[in-house]
Each structure stands twice: as C-alpha cells, then as structure tokens.
Amino acid sequence: MRYILDASFFFGEYPFCGEFATTPEVVAELRDVTSKMRFEVMQSRGLVISDPEPAAVTNVRDAAKRSGDLRVLSETDISVIALGLSLSGTVVSDDFAVQNVCRHLKIPVQNMMQKKATRRIWKKICSGCGAEIPAEDLECPICGSPPVKRGTEKRK
C-alpha cells in the first residue's frame, strides 16, 4: 500500500508498512532534531519526495472550497492531499480538515492517534433565526443577526 505522509507522521513512531511519499512542503516543516532523524530513516527506507500534479492541486482547492475547509488548510496540507490524489495513495494525517477534504475527494485516509473525522460541509447559519447565510454575507439578510459556522454531516 502507498501512504502519503503529512508532517505529523514524523513527530511520533507509527507502525506502518508499505511505500511512503511526502511533499517538499512537509520536509520544510520538519525543524526539530527528532522529526528530522525520523525523516532521514524513512528516506533511507525508500521515502519518495514528490510534488503533486498541478491539476490535482486545483481539484483539492475546489473540493476544499466546497466543503468549507479551504480557509483552514495550509499550503502543505493542500500539497499532501493533492499528492494523495496524484499517486492514488492513502493520506496519513490526524488533521480533521485534511481528512474531510480527502473524504470529499474519495481519497483513503488513515489516522494515527486521533479518531477519524466525520465528513462535513461547513455552512454559515444565522445565530438568530437559523437561516443559512451566503458565504459572502456578514450578517443574516433576514433578521440581521451574526452568523455562526456549523458543520453538517454529509452521508455517503
């Protein structure tokens, strides 16, 4: 099995076997000695460092925009998801936003320590009347109350 690793993989020791890949953006995030050493060990065992296909990056941004996760994803997160899409691999991440976008794109996800995230679509809901508010509006067009973000579970 092919696994696409985010930076959090290198912060601990996890029992995975298979082929491994990550992005240059992930490598740049590894700053402490322990994670750099784990990276070097993984690289000596065949870890591939690769950039995702540009079309995959575009698809990830579009999916993240639709799911409401784009505002919380870093460029590194986007690169990891896009590499998962490019290489048809399983993304290994504990980041709920990364997991959510992967699920929207039907990319397999493996968590390490956290429980798996539920697939959600984030919407702005009026705190006063409960109406759904368009993303660009700062207040409810019906009653003028401020919006709150709510995640709605998306069924398969």
Side-chain angles (χ1 to χ4, degrees):
M1 179 163 287
R2 181 177 293 148
Y3 295 101
I4 312 305
L5 309 176
D6 78 355
S8 61
F9 183 87
F10 299 99
F11 301 144
E13 294 184 38
Y14 306 104
F16 284 87
C17 295
E19 297 175 31
F20 299 94
T22 195
T23 66
E25 291 86 352
V26 168
V27 177
E29 286 187 355
L30 304 177
R31 294 192 177 94
D32 66 282
V33 174
T34 305
S35 62
K36 286 182 179 182
M37 286 174 40
R38 287 188 179 116
F39 167 76
E40 289 178 14
V41 168
M42 293 295 296
Q43 195 173 22
S44 72
R45 293 181 180 168
L47 172 69
V48 174
I49 302 162
S50 179
D51 285 310
E53 297 169 0
V57 173
T58 301
N59 288 342
V60 169
R61 287 186 194 285
D62 291 344
K65 194 179 294 182
R66 286 191 308 275
S67 73
D69 292 299
L70 185 60
R71 65 181 178 80
V72 296
L73 290 177
S74 68
E75 289 301 313
T76 302
D77 295 335
I78 292 168
S79 73
V80 167
I81 299 166
L83 189 60
L85 194 59
S86 296
L87 299 179
S88 300
T90 298
V91 172
V92 179
S93 178
D94 275 342
D95 185 309
F96 284 166
V98 169
Q99 291 180 20
N100 193 41
V101 174
C102 285
R103 283 190 175 75
H104 281 270
L105 289 167
K106 297 182 175 35
I107 299 170
V109 178
Q110 177 65 49
N111 58 320
M112 294 170 289
M113 299 288 289
Q114 308 273 347
K115 66 178 189 165
K116 284 190 177 182
T118 307
R119 184 176 177 203
R120 298 197 179 276
I121 299 210
W122 294 95
K123 297 180 180 183
K124 288 170 77 175
I125 305 295
C126 175
S127 61
C129 69
E132 187 174 330
I133 300 173
E136 64 278 356
D137 288 359
L138 300 175
E139 61 182 33
C140 178
I142 298 168
C143 72
S145 296
V148 293
K149 284 260 187 200
R150 294 269 163 78
T152 58
E153 189 172 333
K154 183 77 174 179
R155 301 283 178 200
K156 287 185 180 179

